[in-house]
Amino acid sequence: MLSILFPSLLNGVATGAIYALIALGLTLIYGVLHIVNFAHGAALMVALYGVYFLFTAWHVDPYLALPIMIVAMFCFGYGLQRFVIGRASHGKDEYILLVTLGIAIILENLALALFRSDTHSIDTAYTLATVDVFGALIALPKLIAFFGALAVSSALLLLIGRTQLGRAIRAVAREKQGARVVGIDVEHIYAMSFGIGMACLGAAACFLLPAYYVNPLVGNGFVLIAFTIVVLGGMGSFAGALIGGLIVGVVESLGGLWLGESLGQIGIFVIFIAVLLFRPQGLFGQKGA
Amino acid sequence: MKSQVPSRRQFVAQTAALTMAAGFPLIGRAQVKAIKIGVLHPVTGALAFSGSQCRIGAQLAIDDINAAGGIKSLGGAKLEALLGDAQSKPEVGAAEVEKMNEAGVSAIVGAYASAICLATTQAAAKYNIPHVVDVGVADSIVERGLKNTFRFGPGYTTAAHVAMNNLHILNKLAGNVAKSVMIIHEESLFGTGTAQLLARDLPALGFEVKEVVKHANPTRDFNNIVLRMKAVNPDIVIPANYYNEYALLVRTMQQQKFRPKAIYSVLGGAASSFKFLNEFPDAAKDIIDCNHWFNPKDKRALALRKRVEAMKVFFTYEVFCTYTATMLLADAIERARSARREDIVAALAASSFANHFMPYGATRFVNGQNQGAQPLMTQVQGGDIKVIFPKEYKEAEPVFPLPRA
Amino acid sequence: MRELALIVAVLAAFLCAPWLTDSGVVLNFLIMVLFATLLGQAWNILGGYGGQFSFGHAAFFGTGAYAMAVLQTVFAVNPWLALPLAILCGVLVALVIGVLSFRYGLRGSYFALVTLAFAEVLRILANTFDFTGAGVGLQLPLREAAGNMQFADKTGYLYLVLSFVAFGLMLSWWLRHSRYGAWLSAVRDNEASALALGIDALRVKLAAIMLSAALMAAAGAFYLQYFHYIDPHIAYGPAISIEALVGAIVGGLGSVFGPLLGALVLHLLGEATRNLMGDLPGISLVVYGVVLVLIVMFIPRGLSGLFGRRA
């Protein structure tokens, strides 16, 4: 088993990068709006279909689809928060929960009705290509996704840390009444944050599809893992989501190695529970966050 | 999915008043009362793909029977499909049976997944509704003493035994080149059950079972499993899982450049799927599968395949299993000369239906299981899926062991 | 006292149902509504009265179902005897989860997510051990007899689940009129000031999660007896947790009749969309989702809020 420890570790890191991409959007939404977004998986599915149809209908390479998907998913997210979630939730946690759940049901079944339940994957020149990293074969799409995750999280850090919009988002995240007093349009900032979160999913979908597949329920497999990462990294922390994603990827990989793929999943949840109990602010979150 | 019969579900309203105002207007000039058949599958939720494929099979069969003049012993009575959706949940499946009962179905065909079949067969048993199981490979479905339950196809015990015996023969013919296997199975009823049988009985046939790996549905990444595969280096890899996971597994093996002497699937989700073959011809190449399959020499099967493909639907096992299961039911109604449930149950129990394109011969039911049901062995060769075992259905010689790449 | 009278009237109506109709569809519908009501009632105790939102109530449901199944199939215990033991198992799981998460002060989404994780851990464990049948699940042999808690007709099951729901209604009523209930809502509304008043918040919350789990485990036991089969996905999957919380929230948090109203409306909605929307897969669920969002949008206090005060 020792001989495959290194490749397994490396693969865990690469898989974890994809998880991190999905978790980045979730952690932003959670950090600003303080809502548990049950529709995150369904939104990922929407983005994956977007990439898929761009590829099959217009032969747009998934990586070239990045700008299109980022803009499209941003608009989708902005509208969703501004006109549906914001209006229906009456600012109460339990209703936000129900609304995002309702949206997930709508999106998943709309996809089922429109595109049928078939699983689709795309076959590009690099789908099956691998890169030899010190004797370990790492799938090329995963390697690209790893750098994609680094790029997206850096971009987010810059956006939130260095721009006017970022300042407003941080103000709303910390104290929304105060932000309102100083003239920030809180509803707009909420919608912007949700939109940016969805845009991250758009990027994630471009990196994920070459290594995976899409069907109406594909997002469900990633929701729980994304929540785990968000908690692990600290809700609202981008660096936390990135490193949390990598940790979860590695734990899953090594857990699978020693406990079997099915039982190995337990490692993730045990870490999740331990972090919640002993360090609920997450590995990278601030105390009292 | 253009169906000639009025197949829309018209389980009209028990919404507010909770009363059944059953009205089934008949299209056409049928003078004789139509016979209602419940077609119950999971067409939404996790099993939506397979369930929809099954539904298409049932609808095609009903179309064909009606086009050929309906049930002749009942004056040409047409069959009428009542479609039900189990939503991939056993309890919803059972609720649909209740509705079908009150809508007056004579029989039910369904319900693809084993867990749903367990619920629907026992709900149907309460009203003595004959229930033909189309796929549902768990053997517990026909082992509970339910008098109304009939399974046309093989269960996983049969499939596993056929697979093991043929592997034994294949290996002997090749000079016992393969000595070890690794089993990779999905974690629910069918995968676990199959894997348990394989792991128990393969050693007696001279194979060392090096590892049994269970994985979740969905499994997001198969690199780990394939890495272990490379470390263990089994001669033969035996997958038993559903389509998505099967496809990812084989693609990952290709990616990691692991090439065993054979990929030998038992009820493999994608192994003998025209969909997989079409989308990943390279990955699918040379894969052997022991699965539900039609008699490749029967022209009707080939004609049906053409028709199905013309509808832009893949001719997967779900389609032809449910198609023939529906045909079996129609045959029983024909011989029962009655649309009454108890008569159809009796006719099914005494059934000797041979006019079909499955490799089962004439049906003979013992405790609801068709004794002649057997899977066939197929291998992907020359861009098509060819039967390699047994002799009477063989289309091509097996390629085993695989040549070194 | 009007509420008590209403409880009796509702129970009597369900009790009479088998005399009014022998339709399997209607009886099965009522059974499934009562089953969903039970899930909602369980969730409502902790989520509505206690303000602790759980996403993992399947942990208690599945434990009840599995305990019931293992006791019958492995240890040949009579189901009527197994039932209290199964409920006890669910309560014990709640005690462990409660002690761990409340002691460490988890609340809000942190509590929600930790319960979800516990349910997942239990699902994976059930999927692994042989005594739970691993992925194959557990199946009760068919042996119809009232003594075996397998009834020949639906009336038996209706009364069984109705008795659980009756208990849930009484429990809810008691929570609204007892000192303990007052403590629980004090903790929900402001834990710090509840502590200042000398209320042992930890104990109060622990009691709530255990009561909640008892109803949930009873629901699990009922599911097993009605359908004779469970597997890890059915028992511990997220579907049950979600059904419990949706019914309770739609019905109106912290109300006696909310879960019943929520379950009834959601099931009627489900039936209506299924029957009216035709056979194209997915469309009926799209409509269901849209109506769910609309309900939240336009009935902000839950269905029970429609009837004036929080009844």
Side-chain angles (χ1 to χ4, degrees):
Chain A
M1 281 300 138
L2 223 55
S3 62
I4 60 172
L5 190 63
F6 174 67
S8 173
L9 206 73
L10 217 55
N11 178 59
V13 170
T15 311
I18 293 181
Y19 296 165
L21 272 168
I22 297 164
L24 279 169
L26 194 64
T27 204
L28 173 69
I29 292 168
Y30 191 87
V32 180
L33 289 87
H34 305 287
I35 65 174
V36 174
N37 177 21
F38 267 126
H40 206 68
L44 174 66
M45 177 270 297
V46 169
L48 283 167
Y49 269 110
V51 181
Y52 174 75
F53 284 118
L54 282 173
F55 179 80
T56 48
W58 290 290
H59 307 288
V60 181
D61 186 274
Y63 300 126
L64 296 178
L66 264 169
I68 309 173
M69 287 313 299
I70 287 174
V71 172
M73 287 302 289
F74 171 81
C75 298
F76 173 71
Y78 188 95
L80 204 59
Q81 165 62 28
R82 188 98 207 209
F83 303 113
V84 183
I85 302 177
R87 286 205 184 161
S89 59
H90 310 283
K92 277 200 195 154
D93 286 354
E94 63 261 36
Y95 294 126
I96 294 172
L97 209 78
L98 274 200
V99 172
T100 56
L101 204 64
I103 290 169
I105 295 174
I106 295 169
L107 292 178
E108 279 169 7
N109 288 288
L110 208 56
L112 178 66
L114 293 177
F115 313 134
R116 300 206 311 195
S117 44
D118 304 43
T119 292
H120 295 289
S121 33
I122 58 172
D123 203 2
T124 60
Y126 48 80
T127 300
L128 293 173
T130 50
V131 178
D132 192 326
V133 184
F134 306 113
L137 293 177
I138 298 298
L140 182 60
K142 283 191 166 177
L143 203 64
I144 297 175
F146 177 76
F147 291 107
L150 287 182
V152 172
S153 46
S154 324
L156 273 178
L157 276 174
L158 284 178
L159 182 72
I160 302 299
R162 296 288 169 81
T163 65
Q164 195 68 32
L165 172 67
R167 239 187 307 279
I169 290 178
R170 273 180 295 150
V172 171
R174 195 154 311 143
E175 192 27 274
K176 79 172 175 195
Q177 293 309 335
R180 196 166 271 145
V181 169
V182 299
I184 295 174
D185 180 352
V186 173
E187 298 314 313
H188 171 70
I189 293 300
Y190 273 181
M192 287 301 283
S193 310
F194 204 90
I196 297 170
M198 292 291 114
C200 292
L201 279 185
C206 294
F207 292 113
L208 178 59
L209 192 62
Y212 206 59
Y213 56 79
V214 57
N215 66 32
L217 292 176
V218 66
N220 289 348
F222 292 92
V223 177
L224 215 49
I225 210 110
F227 275 121
T228 313
I229 292 164
V230 169
V231 169
L232 193 62
M235 300 197 186
S237 160
F238 303 127
L242 182 62
I243 296 171
L246 301 182
I247 291 175
V248 165
V250 169
V251 168
E252 186 182 53
S253 213
L254 297 185
L257 210 56
W258 278 303
L259 297 171
E261 289 306 312
S262 181
L263 185 59
Q265 295 280 322
I266 214 168
I268 302 170
F269 295 108
V270 169
I271 290 192
F272 182 63
I273 292 171
V275 167
L276 273 172
L277 294 182
F278 300 113
R279 206 182 148 79
Q281 73 273 28
L283 300 177
F284 298 88
Q286 287 137 14
K287 203 103 188 156
Chain B
M1 253 202 277
K2 288 226 165 50
S3 180
Q4 302 301 310
V5 287
S7 60
R8 279 158 297 130
R9 179 172 56 190
Q10 294 173 340
F11 295 167
V12 186
Q14 73 285 76
T15 45
L18 282 172
T19 48
M20 283 297 288
F24 297 98
L26 288 180
I27 296 170
R29 286 151 293 149
Q31 302 299 309
V32 230
K33 235 175 121 208
I35 300 162
K36 292 168 193 145
I37 306 291
V39 174
L40 178 49
H41 295 102
V43 294
T44 57
L47 303 167
F49 175 72
S50 292
S52 311
Q53 294 288 96
C54 287
R55 180 183 271 189
I56 290 169
Q59 287 178 318
L60 283 171
I62 290 174
D63 287 352
D64 286 357
I65 291 156
N66 289 341
I71 304 295
K72 295 182 189 78
S73 66
L74 289 172
K78 301 274 193 258
L79 297 185
E80 182 188 331
L82 291 193
L83 302 181
D85 176 13
Q87 295 186 353
S88 304
K89 291 179 187 163
E91 64 267 27
V92 179
E96 290 288 273
V97 171
E98 297 290 343
K99 288 187 200 161
M100 289 179 170
N101 171 50
E102 289 184 11
V105 298
S106 294
I108 290 175
V109 178
Y112 178 67
S114 297
I116 300 176
C117 287
L118 285 172
T120 56
T121 51
Q122 88 198 16
K126 296 262 184 220
Y127 306 106
N128 199 28
I129 305 174
H131 189 311
V132 177
V133 174
D134 45 8
V135 179
V137 289
D139 288 305
S140 47
I141 297 170
V142 285
E143 282 167 356
R144 296 193 292 173
L146 295 177
K147 298 270 175 271
N148 66 322
T149 304
F150 300 89
R151 183 167 65 192
F152 188 37
Y156 63 60
T157 308
T158 307
H161 282 126
V162 169
M164 285 189 281
N165 291 336
N166 286 335
L167 180 60
H168 186 53
I169 296 170
L170 207 57
N171 197 30
K172 236 201 235 135
L173 291 174
N176 287 326
V177 287
K179 293 183 176 56
S180 59
V181 302
M182 176 166 170
I183 302 168
I184 293 138
H185 69 93
E186 62 90 30
E187 65 183 5
S188 81
L189 211 166
F190 118 79
T192 311
T194 311
Q196 279 168 358
L197 289 171
L198 292 174
R200 192 191 65 196
D201 294 346
L202 274 175
L205 297 174
F207 294 97
E208 182 199 352
V209 179
K210 283 206 166 165
E211 207 161 345
V212 181
V213 180
K214 174 161 88 172
H215 65 75
N217 297 317
T219 288
R220 291 169 293 261
D221 179 61
F222 274 94
N223 275 289
N224 243 324
I225 291 179
V226 176
L227 284 171
R228 276 164 77 172
M229 208 182 270
K230 284 170 99 168
V232 167
N233 196 19
D235 293 325
I236 294 174
V237 171
I238 305 184
N241 43 18
Y242 291 113
Y243 183 90
N244 293 342
E245 284 69 34
Y246 192 98
L248 267 189
L249 170 68
V250 177
R251 278 168 65 187
T252 309
M253 285 171 67
Q254 195 189 0
Q255 209 161 37
Q256 292 287 346
K257 304 187 171 49
F258 182 71
R259 206 174 145 81
K261 293 197 170 76
I263 299 178
Y264 192 95
S265 341
V266 181
L267 301 172
S272 52
S273 159
F274 290 113
K275 177 174 162 62
F276 186 57
L277 178 61
N278 185 54
E279 286 169 8
F280 296 96
D282 285 341
K285 199 164 166 284
D286 299 327
I287 288 177
I288 299 176
D289 192 15
C290 175
N291 212 330
H292 308 286
W293 204 249
F294 50 86
N295 175 0
K297 296 181 176 159
D298 194 312
K299 290 207 173 58
R300 288 168 300 181
L302 305 178
L304 183 66
R305 180 181 164 188
K306 278 219 180 74
R307 260 170 76 203
V308 170
E309 285 172 354
M311 294 161 66
K312 292 201 171 16
V313 171
F314 288 105
F315 192 50
T316 59
Y317 73 93
E318 296 97 334
V319 177
F320 57 77
C321 282
T322 311
Y323 180 90
T324 46
T326 310
M327 286 293 184
L328 161 72
L329 179 61
D331 174 77
I333 299 173
E334 186 74 67
R335 281 181 305 98
R337 299 171 174 279
S338 158
R340 286 171 35 170
R341 293 165 181 176
E342 57 270 32
D343 297 337
I344 300 174
V345 168
L348 277 167
S351 165
S352 59
F353 173 50
N355 186 24
H356 58 76
F357 58 70
M358 295 303 278
Y360 303 163
T363 52
R364 188 170 68 82
F365 284 102
V366 175
N367 294 326
Q369 174 59 43
N370 178 17
Q371 299 300 302
Q374 59 166 348
L376 295 185
M377 307 293 307
T378 60
Q379 186 169 32
V380 176
Q381 292 183 9
D384 200 1
I385 299 168
K386 300 281 189 202
V387 174
I388 53 169
F389 257 130
K391 260 209 303 285
E392 55 269 44
Y393 302 107
K394 185 149 124 182
E395 294 174 283
E397 288 301 322
V399 178
F400 177 85
L402 294 184
R404 287 270 144 220
Chain C
M1 286 306 105
R2 241 185 63 214
E3 250 173 40
L4 271 185
L6 200 54
I7 290 177
V8 173
V10 166
L11 293 178
F14 278 103
L15 214 55
C16 294
W19 283 298
L20 300 176
T21 174
D22 55 0
S23 156
V25 174
V26 177
L27 291 177
N28 183 62
F29 176 84
L30 293 178
I31 289 170
M32 292 318 287
V33 166
L34 287 172
F35 170 71
T37 303
L38 189 57
L39 299 177
Q41 286 176 329
W43 198 88
N44 192 34
I45 292 174
L46 188 64
Y49 292 100
Q52 310 293 323
F53 284 18
S54 147
F55 293 170
H57 257 49
F60 317 132
F61 176 88
T63 303
Y66 265 112
M68 192 80 178
V70 170
L71 284 168
Q72 287 180 74
T73 55
V74 180
F75 300 103
V77 178
N78 179 283
W80 292 102
L81 206 64
L83 178 64
L85 295 174
I87 292 174
L88 190 67
C89 288
V91 170
L92 286 177
V93 167
L95 183 64
V96 172
I97 296 179
V99 165
L100 280 174
S101 43
F102 293 139
R103 171 138 291 174
Y104 287 96
L106 292 186
R107 60 180 72 133
S109 16
Y110 292 94
F111 176 72
L113 291 173
V114 87
T115 53
L116 182 64
F118 275 112
E120 277 298 300
V121 166
L122 288 171
R123 184 182 67 77
I124 294 169
L125 290 178
N127 218 331
T128 304
F129 291 120
D130 280 336
F131 77 94
T132 53
V136 176
L138 287 175
Q139 197 181 330
L140 289 186
L142 291 175
R143 219 151 31 83
E144 270 173 5
N148 198 32
M149 215 190 273
Q150 291 185 18
F151 306 100
D153 63 10
K154 299 215 155 42
T155 311
Y157 290 108
L158 181 72
Y159 288 171
L160 181 62
V161 70
L162 184 62
S163 60
F164 294 147
V165 168
F167 183 76
L169 283 171
M170 301 308 285
L171 195 61
S172 265
W173 184 84
W174 176 74
L175 283 174
R176 287 177 63 80
H177 294 90
S178 66
R179 182 184 290 182
Y180 170 73
W183 289 343
L184 186 58
S185 40
V187 170
R188 172 191 65 198
D189 295 337
N190 191 333
E191 192 165 334
S193 54
L195 282 170
L197 288 173
I199 298 171
D200 186 343
L202 178 65
R203 277 199 173 187
V204 167
K205 287 196 278 187
L206 275 181
I209 196 172
M210 285 159 75
L211 283 173
S212 182
L215 287 185
M216 210 66 196
F222 173 78
Y223 183 97
L224 175 76
Q225 292 306 123
Y226 194 40
F227 293 107
H228 309 318
Y229 174 75
I230 45 158
D231 66 19
H233 191 72
I234 297 171
Y236 289 117
I240 283 289
S241 302
I242 289 175
E243 183 159 8
L245 73 90
V246 172
I249 298 176
V250 167
L253 288 180
S255 65
V256 175
F257 292 102
L260 180 60
L261 274 174
L264 189 64
V265 167
L266 288 173
H267 275 252
L268 281 175
L269 174 63
E271 288 301 318
T273 53
R274 281 149 74 83
N275 289 334
L276 298 177
M277 293 315 297
D279 290 320
L280 183 61
I283 286 294
S284 67
L285 287 168
V286 171
V287 177
Y288 179 90
V290 170
V291 176
L292 183 63
V293 172
L294 290 178
I295 289 179
V296 179
M297 213 178 261
F298 294 110
I299 312 179
R301 285 174 59 208
L303 292 168
S304 60
L306 288 176
F307 299 90
R309 66 192 193 89
R310 294 177 104 182

